[in-house]
Short mmCIF file of all heavy atoms in Angstrom, two decimals:
data_model
loop_
_atom_site.label_atom_id
_atom_site.label_comp_id
_atom_site.label_asym_id
_atom_site.label_seq_id
_atom_site.Cartn_x
_atom_site.Cartn_y
_atom_site.Cartn_z
N MET A 156 1.23 -9.27 11.68
CA MET A 156 1.93 -8.28 10.88
C MET A 156 1.73 -6.92 11.53
O MET A 156 0.63 -6.56 11.90
CB MET A 156 1.37 -8.29 9.45
CG MET A 156 2.04 -7.30 8.54
SD MET A 156 1.48 -7.34 6.84
CE MET A 156 2.20 -8.86 6.28
N THR A 157 2.80 -6.17 11.65
CA THR A 157 2.72 -4.85 12.27
C THR A 157 2.24 -3.81 11.27
O THR A 157 2.32 -4.02 10.05
CB THR A 157 4.10 -4.42 12.80
OG1 THR A 157 4.98 -4.22 11.70
CG2 THR A 157 4.67 -5.43 13.78
N LEU A 158 1.79 -2.69 11.80
CA LEU A 158 1.37 -1.58 10.93
C LEU A 158 2.53 -1.12 10.07
O LEU A 158 2.36 -0.82 8.89
CB LEU A 158 0.83 -0.43 11.77
CG LEU A 158 0.37 0.81 11.01
CD1 LEU A 158 -0.73 0.45 10.01
CD2 LEU A 158 -0.11 1.88 11.95
N LYS A 159 3.73 -1.08 10.65
CA LYS A 159 4.91 -0.64 9.90
C LYS A 159 5.17 -1.58 8.72
O LYS A 159 5.41 -1.12 7.60
CB LYS A 159 6.12 -0.60 10.83
CG LYS A 159 7.37 -0.05 10.18
CD LYS A 159 8.46 0.06 11.22
CE LYS A 159 9.77 0.50 10.64
NZ LYS A 159 10.81 0.61 11.67
N SER A 160 5.09 -2.89 8.94
CA SER A 160 5.35 -3.82 7.84
C SER A 160 4.22 -3.77 6.80
O SER A 160 4.47 -3.88 5.60
CB SER A 160 5.56 -5.25 8.35
OG SER A 160 4.40 -5.74 9.01
N GLN A 161 2.98 -3.57 7.26
CA GLN A 161 1.87 -3.41 6.31
C GLN A 161 2.07 -2.18 5.45
O GLN A 161 1.86 -2.21 4.24
CB GLN A 161 0.54 -3.30 7.05
CG GLN A 161 0.08 -4.57 7.69
CD GLN A 161 -1.17 -4.35 8.53
OE1 GLN A 161 -1.43 -3.25 9.00
NE2 GLN A 161 -1.93 -5.42 8.72
N THR A 162 2.49 -1.09 6.07
CA THR A 162 2.71 0.15 5.34
C THR A 162 3.82 -0.02 4.32
O THR A 162 3.72 0.44 3.19
CB THR A 162 3.06 1.29 6.32
OG1 THR A 162 2.01 1.39 7.28
CG2 THR A 162 3.21 2.61 5.60
N ARG A 163 4.88 -0.71 4.71
CA ARG A 163 5.99 -0.94 3.78
C ARG A 163 5.56 -1.82 2.61
O ARG A 163 5.98 -1.61 1.48
CB ARG A 163 7.18 -1.54 4.51
CG ARG A 163 7.89 -0.51 5.34
CD ARG A 163 9.11 -1.06 5.99
NE ARG A 163 9.88 0.03 6.56
CZ ARG A 163 11.12 -0.08 6.93
NH1 ARG A 163 11.76 -1.22 6.81
NH2 ARG A 163 11.76 0.95 7.43
N GLU A 164 4.70 -2.81 2.87
CA GLU A 164 4.18 -3.66 1.79
C GLU A 164 3.39 -2.84 0.79
O GLU A 164 3.56 -2.97 -0.42
CB GLU A 164 3.26 -4.74 2.38
CG GLU A 164 3.90 -6.09 2.49
CD GLU A 164 2.89 -7.13 2.94
OE1 GLU A 164 1.75 -7.16 2.43
OE2 GLU A 164 3.27 -7.92 3.81
N ILE A 165 2.50 -1.99 1.30
CA ILE A 165 1.69 -1.14 0.43
C ILE A 165 2.58 -0.18 -0.33
O ILE A 165 2.42 0.04 -1.53
CB ILE A 165 0.62 -0.38 1.25
CG1 ILE A 165 -0.40 -1.38 1.80
CG2 ILE A 165 -0.05 0.70 0.42
CD1 ILE A 165 -1.33 -0.81 2.85
N SER A 166 3.57 0.40 0.35
CA SER A 166 4.49 1.34 -0.30
C SER A 166 5.27 0.65 -1.42
O SER A 166 5.54 1.25 -2.46
CB SER A 166 5.45 1.92 0.74
OG SER A 166 6.30 2.86 0.14
N ALA A 167 5.64 -0.60 -1.22
CA ALA A 167 6.40 -1.34 -2.24
C ALA A 167 5.60 -1.50 -3.54
O ALA A 167 6.18 -1.61 -4.62
CB ALA A 167 6.81 -2.71 -1.70
N LEU A 168 4.28 -1.49 -3.43
CA LEU A 168 3.43 -1.64 -4.62
C LEU A 168 3.31 -0.35 -5.43
O LEU A 168 2.88 -0.37 -6.57
CB LEU A 168 2.03 -2.12 -4.20
CG LEU A 168 1.98 -3.47 -3.50
CD1 LEU A 168 0.56 -3.75 -2.99
CD2 LEU A 168 2.44 -4.57 -4.42
N ASN A 169 3.68 0.77 -4.85
CA ASN A 169 3.59 2.07 -5.51
C ASN A 169 4.81 2.26 -6.42
O ASN A 169 5.91 2.52 -5.94
CB ASN A 169 3.51 3.18 -4.46
CG ASN A 169 3.45 4.56 -5.08
OD1 ASN A 169 3.47 4.73 -6.30
ND2 ASN A 169 3.38 5.57 -4.24
N ILE A 170 4.60 2.15 -7.71
CA ILE A 170 5.73 2.24 -8.64
C ILE A 170 6.37 3.63 -8.67
O ILE A 170 7.49 3.80 -9.12
CB ILE A 170 5.33 1.83 -10.07
CG1 ILE A 170 4.22 2.74 -10.62
CG2 ILE A 170 4.92 0.37 -10.11
CD1 ILE A 170 3.92 2.53 -12.09
N HIS A 171 5.65 4.63 -8.17
CA HIS A 171 6.19 5.99 -8.14
C HIS A 171 6.73 6.36 -6.75
O HIS A 171 7.21 7.47 -6.56
CB HIS A 171 5.11 7.01 -8.54
CG HIS A 171 4.56 6.74 -9.90
ND1 HIS A 171 5.30 6.92 -11.05
CD2 HIS A 171 3.36 6.29 -10.30
CE1 HIS A 171 4.56 6.58 -12.10
NE2 HIS A 171 3.38 6.20 -11.66
N GLY A 172 6.65 5.44 -5.81
CA GLY A 172 7.07 5.72 -4.44
C GLY A 172 8.51 5.31 -4.17
O GLY A 172 9.32 5.14 -5.09
N ARG A 173 8.80 5.13 -2.91
CA ARG A 173 10.16 4.81 -2.48
C ARG A 173 10.33 3.33 -2.15
O ARG A 173 11.32 2.94 -1.57
CB ARG A 173 10.54 5.65 -1.28
CG ARG A 173 10.58 7.11 -1.64
CD ARG A 173 11.07 7.93 -0.51
NE ARG A 173 11.05 9.33 -0.91
CZ ARG A 173 11.66 10.27 -0.27
NH1 ARG A 173 12.36 10.00 0.80
NH2 ARG A 173 11.60 11.51 -0.70
N GLY A 174 9.32 2.54 -2.47
CA GLY A 174 9.44 1.11 -2.25
C GLY A 174 9.33 0.72 -0.79
O GLY A 174 8.86 1.50 0.04
N PRO A 175 9.79 -0.49 -0.46
CA PRO A 175 9.60 -1.01 0.90
C PRO A 175 10.45 -0.31 1.95
O PRO A 175 10.28 -0.54 3.14
CB PRO A 175 9.99 -2.48 0.77
CG PRO A 175 10.91 -2.52 -0.39
CD PRO A 175 10.42 -1.46 -1.33
N ARG A 176 11.38 0.54 1.55
CA ARG A 176 12.23 1.22 2.54
C ARG A 176 11.54 2.39 3.21
O ARG A 176 12.02 2.93 4.21
CB ARG A 176 13.54 1.70 1.90
CG ARG A 176 13.34 2.78 0.89
CD ARG A 176 14.63 3.05 0.10
NE ARG A 176 14.36 4.03 -0.92
CZ ARG A 176 14.85 5.25 -0.90
NH1 ARG A 176 15.65 5.63 0.05
NH2 ARG A 176 14.55 6.09 -1.87
N TRP A 177 10.36 2.80 2.72
CA TRP A 177 9.65 3.93 3.29
C TRP A 177 9.18 3.61 4.70
O TRP A 177 8.70 2.53 4.99
CB TRP A 177 8.45 4.29 2.42
CG TRP A 177 7.74 5.52 2.89
CD1 TRP A 177 8.11 6.81 2.67
CD2 TRP A 177 6.54 5.58 3.66
NE1 TRP A 177 7.21 7.67 3.26
CE2 TRP A 177 6.24 6.93 3.88
CE3 TRP A 177 5.70 4.61 4.19
CZ2 TRP A 177 5.14 7.35 4.60
CZ3 TRP A 177 4.60 5.03 4.92
CH2 TRP A 177 4.33 6.39 5.11
N ILE A 178 9.30 4.57 5.61
CA ILE A 178 8.86 4.41 6.99
C ILE A 178 7.80 5.46 7.27
O ILE A 178 8.02 6.65 7.01
CB ILE A 178 10.04 4.60 7.97
CG1 ILE A 178 11.09 3.52 7.74
CG2 ILE A 178 9.55 4.59 9.41
CD1 ILE A 178 12.36 3.72 8.52
N PRO A 179 6.64 5.06 7.80
CA PRO A 179 5.62 6.05 8.15
C PRO A 179 6.20 7.07 9.13
O PRO A 179 6.91 6.71 10.06
CB PRO A 179 4.52 5.23 8.83
CG PRO A 179 4.79 3.82 8.44
CD PRO A 179 6.25 3.71 8.16
N HIS A 180 5.93 8.35 8.89
CA HIS A 180 6.51 9.38 9.73
C HIS A 180 5.68 10.66 9.66
O HIS A 180 4.86 10.82 8.77
CB HIS A 180 7.95 9.67 9.32
CG HIS A 180 8.06 10.25 7.94
ND1 HIS A 180 7.97 9.47 6.81
CD2 HIS A 180 8.23 11.51 7.51
CE1 HIS A 180 8.09 10.25 5.74
NE2 HIS A 180 8.24 11.49 6.14
N LEU A 181 5.93 11.51 10.61
CA LEU A 181 5.33 12.84 10.64
C LEU A 181 6.48 13.82 10.62
O LEU A 181 7.37 13.77 11.47
CB LEU A 181 4.50 13.03 11.92
CG LEU A 181 3.97 14.44 12.17
CD1 LEU A 181 2.99 14.86 11.08
CD2 LEU A 181 3.33 14.53 13.54
N THR A 182 6.50 14.70 9.65
CA THR A 182 7.58 15.66 9.51
C THR A 182 7.12 17.03 10.00
O THR A 182 6.05 17.49 9.64
CB THR A 182 8.01 15.77 8.03
OG1 THR A 182 8.45 14.50 7.58
CG2 THR A 182 9.11 16.79 7.85
N MET A 183 7.94 17.65 10.81
CA MET A 183 7.70 19.02 11.22
C MET A 183 8.92 19.83 10.82
O MET A 183 10.05 19.47 11.16
CB MET A 183 7.50 19.12 12.73
CG MET A 183 6.22 18.48 13.17
SD MET A 183 5.67 18.90 14.84
CE MET A 183 7.12 18.79 15.82
N GLY A 184 8.72 20.88 10.07
CA GLY A 184 9.82 21.70 9.61
C GLY A 184 10.51 22.44 10.74
O GLY A 184 9.90 22.79 11.74
N LEU A 185 11.78 22.67 10.58
CA LEU A 185 12.55 23.37 11.60
C LEU A 185 12.17 24.84 11.70
O LEU A 185 12.53 25.51 12.65
CB LEU A 185 14.05 23.25 11.30
CG LEU A 185 14.61 21.84 11.43
CD1 LEU A 185 16.07 21.82 11.00
CD2 LEU A 185 14.49 21.35 12.86
N ARG A 186 11.46 25.34 10.73
CA ARG A 186 11.08 26.75 10.74
C ARG A 186 9.80 27.00 11.53
O ARG A 186 9.37 28.13 11.65
CB ARG A 186 10.94 27.26 9.32
CG ARG A 186 12.27 27.28 8.60
CD ARG A 186 12.16 27.95 7.24
NE ARG A 186 13.45 27.97 6.61
CZ ARG A 186 13.79 27.25 5.56
NH1 ARG A 186 12.91 26.47 4.99
NH2 ARG A 186 15.00 27.31 5.05
N ILE A 187 9.19 25.95 12.05
CA ILE A 187 7.98 26.12 12.86
C ILE A 187 8.42 26.61 14.24
O ILE A 187 9.21 25.94 14.91
CB ILE A 187 7.21 24.79 13.00
CG1 ILE A 187 6.67 24.35 11.65
CG2 ILE A 187 6.07 24.93 14.01
CD1 ILE A 187 6.01 23.00 11.69
N PRO A 188 7.92 27.75 14.69
CA PRO A 188 8.28 28.22 16.03
C PRO A 188 7.84 27.21 17.09
O PRO A 188 6.75 26.65 17.00
CB PRO A 188 7.50 29.53 16.17
CG PRO A 188 7.20 29.96 14.77
CD PRO A 188 7.05 28.69 13.99
N ARG A 189 8.67 26.97 18.06
CA ARG A 189 8.40 25.97 19.10
C ARG A 189 7.04 26.17 19.77
O ARG A 189 6.36 25.21 20.12
CB ARG A 189 9.49 25.99 20.17
CG ARG A 189 10.78 25.44 19.69
CD ARG A 189 11.83 25.57 20.77
NE ARG A 189 13.11 25.14 20.24
CZ ARG A 189 13.88 24.25 20.80
NH1 ARG A 189 13.54 23.71 21.93
NH2 ARG A 189 15.03 23.92 20.24
N GLU A 190 6.65 27.42 19.96
CA GLU A 190 5.40 27.67 20.69
C GLU A 190 4.16 27.22 19.93
O GLU A 190 3.10 27.06 20.53
CB GLU A 190 5.28 29.15 21.10
CG GLU A 190 5.26 30.14 19.96
CD GLU A 190 6.65 30.63 19.54
OE1 GLU A 190 7.67 30.09 20.02
OE2 GLU A 190 6.70 31.55 18.72
N ILE A 191 4.25 27.00 18.61
CA ILE A 191 3.06 26.53 17.88
C ILE A 191 3.11 25.04 17.56
O ILE A 191 2.20 24.53 16.92
CB ILE A 191 2.81 27.36 16.60
CG1 ILE A 191 3.87 27.10 15.55
CG2 ILE A 191 2.65 28.83 16.92
CD1 ILE A 191 3.48 27.61 14.18
N VAL A 192 4.13 24.34 18.02
CA VAL A 192 4.21 22.90 17.78
C VAL A 192 2.97 22.17 18.32
O VAL A 192 2.40 21.33 17.63
CB VAL A 192 5.52 22.29 18.33
CG1 VAL A 192 5.47 20.77 18.35
CG2 VAL A 192 6.71 22.79 17.51
N PRO A 193 2.48 22.49 19.54
CA PRO A 193 1.26 21.81 20.01
C PRO A 193 0.06 22.04 19.07
O PRO A 193 -0.73 21.12 18.84
CB PRO A 193 1.01 22.43 21.39
CG PRO A 193 2.36 22.86 21.84
CD PRO A 193 3.06 23.33 20.58
N ASP A 194 -0.06 23.24 18.51
CA ASP A 194 -1.15 23.51 17.56
C ASP A 194 -0.98 22.67 16.29
O ASP A 194 -1.95 22.19 15.71
CB ASP A 194 -1.19 24.99 17.19
CG ASP A 194 -1.57 25.86 18.38
OD1 ASP A 194 -2.32 25.38 19.25
OD2 ASP A 194 -1.11 27.01 18.43
N TYR A 195 0.25 22.52 15.86
CA TYR A 195 0.56 21.71 14.67
C TYR A 195 0.10 20.28 14.90
O TYR A 195 -0.55 19.68 14.05
CB TYR A 195 2.07 21.77 14.43
CG TYR A 195 2.56 20.99 13.24
CD1 TYR A 195 2.67 21.60 12.00
CD2 TYR A 195 2.95 19.67 13.36
CE1 TYR A 195 3.15 20.89 10.90
CE2 TYR A 195 3.43 18.96 12.27
CZ TYR A 195 3.53 19.58 11.04
OH TYR A 195 3.99 18.87 9.98
N VAL A 196 0.41 19.73 16.06
CA VAL A 196 0.03 18.36 16.37
C VAL A 196 -1.49 18.25 16.52
O VAL A 196 -2.11 17.31 16.02
CB VAL A 196 0.76 17.86 17.64
CG1 VAL A 196 0.26 16.49 18.05
CG2 VAL A 196 2.27 17.82 17.38
N ARG A 197 -2.13 19.24 17.16
CA ARG A 197 -3.59 19.22 17.30
C ARG A 197 -4.29 19.29 15.94
O ARG A 197 -5.39 18.78 15.78
CB ARG A 197 -4.06 20.37 18.19
CG ARG A 197 -4.06 20.03 19.66
CD ARG A 197 -4.81 21.07 20.49
NE ARG A 197 -4.16 22.37 20.47
CZ ARG A 197 -3.15 22.71 21.26
NH1 ARG A 197 -2.67 21.85 22.12
NH2 ARG A 197 -2.61 23.91 21.20
N ALA A 198 -3.67 19.90 14.96
CA ALA A 198 -4.26 20.00 13.62
C ALA A 198 -4.48 18.62 13.01
O ALA A 198 -5.33 18.45 12.13
CB ALA A 198 -3.39 20.85 12.70
N LEU A 199 -3.73 17.63 13.48
CA LEU A 199 -3.93 16.26 12.98
C LEU A 199 -5.36 15.78 13.25
O LEU A 199 -5.90 14.99 12.49
CB LEU A 199 -2.93 15.30 13.62
CG LEU A 199 -1.48 15.53 13.24
CD1 LEU A 199 -0.58 14.64 14.09
CD2 LEU A 199 -1.26 15.26 11.77
N ASP A 200 -5.96 16.26 14.34
CA ASP A 200 -7.35 15.89 14.65
C ASP A 200 -8.29 16.37 13.55
O ASP A 200 -9.25 15.68 13.22
CB ASP A 200 -7.79 16.50 15.98
CG ASP A 200 -7.14 15.83 17.17
OD1 ASP A 200 -6.69 14.67 17.02
OD2 ASP A 200 -7.08 16.45 18.24
N GLU A 201 -8.02 17.53 13.00
CA GLU A 201 -8.88 18.08 11.96
C GLU A 201 -8.64 17.42 10.61
O GLU A 201 -9.54 17.27 9.80
CB GLU A 201 -8.66 19.58 11.83
CG GLU A 201 -9.05 20.35 13.08
CD GLU A 201 -8.67 21.82 12.99
OE1 GLU A 201 -8.48 22.32 11.87
OE2 GLU A 201 -8.58 22.45 14.06
N LEU A 202 -7.39 17.04 10.35
CA LEU A 202 -7.03 16.50 9.05
C LEU A 202 -7.08 14.97 8.98
O LEU A 202 -7.22 14.41 7.92
CB LEU A 202 -5.61 16.95 8.68
CG LEU A 202 -5.41 18.46 8.61
CD1 LEU A 202 -3.94 18.77 8.40
CD2 LEU A 202 -6.25 19.05 7.50
N GLY A 203 -6.97 14.34 10.12
CA GLY A 203 -6.89 12.88 10.15
C GLY A 203 -8.24 12.21 9.98
O GLY A 203 -9.30 12.83 10.07
N SER A 204 -8.19 10.94 9.74
CA SER A 204 -9.37 10.12 9.59
C SER A 204 -9.99 9.83 10.95
O SER A 204 -9.28 9.80 11.97
CB SER A 204 -8.98 8.80 8.91
OG SER A 204 -9.97 7.83 9.08
N GLU A 205 -11.28 9.56 10.97
CA GLU A 205 -11.93 9.18 12.24
C GLU A 205 -11.41 7.83 12.74
O GLU A 205 -11.58 7.48 13.89
CB GLU A 205 -13.44 9.12 12.05
CG GLU A 205 -13.87 8.08 11.04
CD GLU A 205 -15.33 8.17 10.68
OE1 GLU A 205 -15.84 9.30 10.55
OE2 GLU A 205 -15.96 7.12 10.49
N HIS A 206 -10.73 7.08 11.87
CA HIS A 206 -10.17 5.79 12.25
C HIS A 206 -8.80 5.94 12.91
O HIS A 206 -8.29 5.01 13.51
CB HIS A 206 -10.06 4.87 11.04
CG HIS A 206 -11.37 4.67 10.35
ND1 HIS A 206 -12.38 3.90 10.90
CD2 HIS A 206 -11.85 5.14 9.19
CE1 HIS A 206 -13.43 3.91 10.11
NE2 HIS A 206 -13.13 4.66 9.05
N GLN A 207 -8.20 7.10 12.77
CA GLN A 207 -6.90 7.37 13.38
C GLN A 207 -7.13 8.16 14.66
O GLN A 207 -7.00 9.36 14.70
CB GLN A 207 -6.01 8.17 12.43
CG GLN A 207 -5.66 7.43 11.18
CD GLN A 207 -5.00 8.36 10.17
OE1 GLN A 207 -5.32 9.52 10.08
NE2 GLN A 207 -4.08 7.81 9.40
N LEU A 208 -7.47 7.43 15.71
CA LEU A 208 -7.80 8.10 16.96
C LEU A 208 -6.57 8.38 17.81
O LEU A 208 -6.62 9.18 18.73
CB LEU A 208 -8.80 7.25 17.75
CG LEU A 208 -10.11 6.95 17.03
CD1 LEU A 208 -10.99 6.05 17.88
CD2 LEU A 208 -10.84 8.25 16.71
N GLU A 209 -5.48 7.70 17.50
CA GLU A 209 -4.29 7.86 18.32
C GLU A 209 -3.04 7.69 17.46
O GLU A 209 -2.97 6.82 16.61
CB GLU A 209 -4.29 6.80 19.42
CG GLU A 209 -3.13 6.88 20.37
CD GLU A 209 -3.26 5.86 21.49
OE1 GLU A 209 -4.26 5.89 22.21
OE2 GLU A 209 -2.35 5.03 21.60
N PHE A 210 -2.07 8.55 17.69
CA PHE A 210 -0.77 8.42 17.05
C PHE A 210 0.25 8.13 18.15
O PHE A 210 0.28 8.81 19.17
CB PHE A 210 -0.37 9.72 16.33
CG PHE A 210 -1.23 10.02 15.14
CD1 PHE A 210 -2.34 10.84 15.25
CD2 PHE A 210 -0.92 9.47 13.90
CE1 PHE A 210 -3.13 11.12 14.14
CE2 PHE A 210 -1.71 9.74 12.80
CZ PHE A 210 -2.81 10.56 12.92
N THR A 211 1.07 7.13 17.93
CA THR A 211 2.11 6.79 18.89
C THR A 211 3.46 6.90 18.21
O THR A 211 3.67 6.30 17.16
CB THR A 211 1.92 5.35 19.41
OG1 THR A 211 0.62 5.24 19.99
CG2 THR A 211 2.97 5.00 20.45
N ALA A 212 4.33 7.68 18.79
CA ALA A 212 5.66 7.86 18.20
C ALA A 212 6.64 6.86 18.82
O ALA A 212 6.71 6.74 20.04
CB ALA A 212 6.15 9.28 18.43
N ALA A 213 7.37 6.16 17.98
CA ALA A 213 8.39 5.23 18.45
C ALA A 213 9.67 5.98 18.80
O ALA A 213 10.44 5.54 19.64
CB ALA A 213 8.69 4.18 17.39
N ARG A 214 9.87 7.11 18.14
CA ARG A 214 11.06 7.91 18.42
C ARG A 214 10.87 9.32 17.88
O ARG A 214 10.00 9.58 17.05
CB ARG A 214 12.31 7.29 17.80
CG ARG A 214 12.30 7.27 16.29
CD ARG A 214 13.53 6.58 15.76
NE ARG A 214 13.49 6.56 14.31
CZ ARG A 214 14.44 6.09 13.57
NH1 ARG A 214 15.52 5.58 14.13
NH2 ARG A 214 14.35 6.10 12.27
N ALA A 215 11.71 10.21 18.36
CA ALA A 215 11.78 11.57 17.84
C ALA A 215 13.22 11.79 17.44
O ALA A 215 14.15 11.42 18.17
CB ALA A 215 11.36 12.59 18.90
N ALA A 216 13.41 12.34 16.25
CA ALA A 216 14.78 12.49 15.76
C ALA A 216 14.88 13.73 14.87
O ALA A 216 13.90 14.23 14.35
CB ALA A 216 15.18 11.26 14.97
N LEU A 217 16.10 14.18 14.73
CA LEU A 217 16.41 15.29 13.82
C LEU A 217 17.19 14.70 12.65
O LEU A 217 18.23 14.07 12.84
CB LEU A 217 17.26 16.33 14.55
CG LEU A 217 17.80 17.47 13.69
CD1 LEU A 217 16.66 18.30 13.11
CD2 LEU A 217 18.74 18.34 14.51
N TRP A 218 16.67 14.88 11.44
CA TRP A 218 17.30 14.35 10.23
C TRP A 218 17.90 15.50 9.44
O TRP A 218 17.21 16.47 9.13
CB TRP A 218 16.29 13.60 9.39
CG TRP A 218 16.79 13.16 8.05
CD1 TRP A 218 16.31 13.55 6.83
CD2 TRP A 218 17.84 12.23 7.78
NE1 TRP A 218 17.00 12.94 5.83
CE2 TRP A 218 17.96 12.12 6.38
CE3 TRP A 218 18.71 11.49 8.57
CZ2 TRP A 218 18.89 11.30 5.76
CZ3 TRP A 218 19.64 10.66 7.95
CH2 TRP A 218 19.71 10.58 6.57
N LYS A 219 19.18 15.40 9.12
CA LYS A 219 19.86 16.39 8.30
C LYS A 219 20.21 15.71 6.97
O LYS A 219 21.22 15.03 6.84
CB LYS A 219 21.13 16.88 8.99
CG LYS A 219 20.86 17.62 10.29
CD LYS A 219 22.14 18.07 10.95
CE LYS A 219 21.86 18.79 12.25
NZ LYS A 219 23.10 19.17 12.93
N PRO A 220 19.33 15.89 5.97
CA PRO A 220 19.50 15.16 4.71
C PRO A 220 20.78 15.50 3.95
O PRO A 220 21.35 14.62 3.30
CB PRO A 220 18.26 15.52 3.89
CG PRO A 220 17.68 16.72 4.53
CD PRO A 220 18.14 16.73 5.95
N LYS A 221 21.23 16.73 4.03
CA LYS A 221 22.44 17.11 3.27
C LYS A 221 23.66 16.29 3.70
O LYS A 221 24.51 15.97 2.87
CB LYS A 221 22.74 18.60 3.41
CG LYS A 221 21.79 19.47 2.65
CD LYS A 221 22.19 20.93 2.73
CE LYS A 221 21.19 21.78 1.96
NZ LYS A 221 21.53 23.19 2.03
N ILE A 222 23.73 15.98 4.99
CA ILE A 222 24.89 15.20 5.47
C ILE A 222 24.49 13.79 5.88
O ILE A 222 25.31 13.05 6.43
CB ILE A 222 25.62 15.93 6.62
CG1 ILE A 222 24.68 16.16 7.81
CG2 ILE A 222 26.23 17.23 6.14
CD1 ILE A 222 25.39 16.73 9.04
N GLN A 223 23.22 13.42 5.62
CA GLN A 223 22.72 12.08 5.93
C GLN A 223 22.95 11.71 7.40
O GLN A 223 23.42 10.63 7.73
CB GLN A 223 23.38 11.03 5.02
CG GLN A 223 23.11 11.24 3.53
CD GLN A 223 21.69 10.86 3.18
OE1 GLN A 223 21.32 9.71 3.30
NE2 GLN A 223 20.90 11.82 2.72
N GLN A 224 22.60 12.65 8.30
CA GLN A 224 22.82 12.44 9.73
C GLN A 224 21.49 12.42 10.46
O GLN A 224 20.69 13.34 10.33
CB GLN A 224 23.71 13.54 10.29
CG GLN A 224 23.95 13.40 11.78
CD GLN A 224 24.75 14.58 12.35
OE1 GLN A 224 24.90 15.61 11.70
NE2 GLN A 224 25.23 14.43 13.54
N LEU A 225 21.28 11.38 11.26
CA LEU A 225 20.10 11.26 12.09
C LEU A 225 20.53 11.37 13.55
O LEU A 225 21.38 10.62 14.02
CB LEU A 225 19.42 9.90 11.86
CG LEU A 225 18.15 9.65 12.67
CD1 LEU A 225 17.02 10.51 12.13
CD2 LEU A 225 17.78 8.19 12.64
N THR A 226 19.95 12.34 14.26
CA THR A 226 20.23 12.51 15.68
C THR A 226 18.98 12.12 16.45
O THR A 226 17.93 12.74 16.31
CB THR A 226 20.60 13.98 16.00
OG1 THR A 226 21.72 14.36 15.20
CG2 THR A 226 20.92 14.16 17.46
N LEU A 227 19.09 11.07 17.24
CA LEU A 227 17.97 10.57 18.03
C LEU A 227 17.74 11.49 19.21
O LEU A 227 18.66 11.77 19.98
CB LEU A 227 18.25 9.15 18.50
CG LEU A 227 17.09 8.40 19.13
CD1 LEU A 227 15.94 8.25 18.13
CD2 LEU A 227 17.56 7.03 19.60
N LEU A 228 16.51 11.98 19.36
CA LEU A 228 16.17 12.89 20.46
C LEU A 228 15.46 12.15 21.59
O LEU A 228 15.60 12.49 22.76
CB LEU A 228 15.29 14.03 19.96
CG LEU A 228 15.89 14.85 18.80
CD1 LEU A 228 14.86 15.83 18.27
CD2 LEU A 228 17.15 15.54 19.24
N ALA A 229 14.65 11.15 21.25
CA ALA A 229 13.93 10.35 22.24
C ALA A 229 13.47 9.05 21.59
O ALA A 229 13.25 8.99 20.39
CB ALA A 229 12.73 11.12 22.76
N GLY A 230 13.34 8.02 22.38
CA GLY A 230 12.84 6.74 21.88
C GLY A 230 13.92 5.76 21.57
O GLY A 230 15.06 5.89 22.04
N GLU A 231 13.56 4.77 20.75
CA GLU A 231 14.49 3.67 20.43
C GLU A 231 15.67 4.13 19.61
O GLU A 231 15.59 4.85 18.70
CB GLU A 231 13.79 2.58 19.62
CG GLU A 231 12.39 2.31 20.03
CD GLU A 231 11.71 1.30 19.12
OE1 GLU A 231 12.18 1.00 18.00
OE2 GLU A 231 10.70 0.81 19.56
#
């Protein structure tokens, strides 16, 4: 079982959540100046668990919720 499927299983059990359709993700707001993006990512070291030693991104994308448009920037 993959981490993604495990996460979706756990999410499905949350009656207040979004169910099994939820996908683990990291959101960065568009208002963050580009020059501080590396600091934003480094902050994960301070906030994350000691068990989360590495984050691997499957893709990078821009999501525009108002028009339901996903633009793939890198990855699958």
